[in-house]
Amino acid sequence: MVQIFVTGRDGAEHACHAHVDDGRAAGLPPLGPDENDLLDSSDHRIDRSRLSCQVPLTVELDGLRVTIAPED
């Protein structure tokens, strides 16, 4: 079973840019060029920014926490 808990703004249409909250950010797959380009357009990009729609949900990521980035 997959459980997804999202913290941050309401509205799924704004939920893709997320900040990975724990020390496992380095264990995520590398950013692809398209993901990197999309994140570059955000004023709220940080070193732990990811597009949540690009993070594969795997057993290894059980417990991973993310926070929705502020709206640009």
Side-chain angles (χ1 to χ4, degrees), residues 5-25:
F5 298 93
V6 176
T7 60
R9 297 187 312 273
D10 291 334
E13 69 277 5
H14 300 291
C16 201
H17 180 186
H19 297 157
V20 178
D21 288 337
D22 67 22
R24 293 189 297 167

Side-chain angles (χ1 to χ4, degrees), residues 17-20 31 39 44-51:
H17 180 186
H19 297 157
V20 178
L31 288 168
L39 287 170
H44 302 285
R45 183 177 185 169
I46 62 173
D47 61 334
R48 296 176 290 111
S49 286
R50 292 302 302 258
L51 298 181

Side-chain angles (χ1 to χ4, degrees), residues 4 46 62 72:
I4 301 173
I46 62 173
D62 183 37
D72 285 324

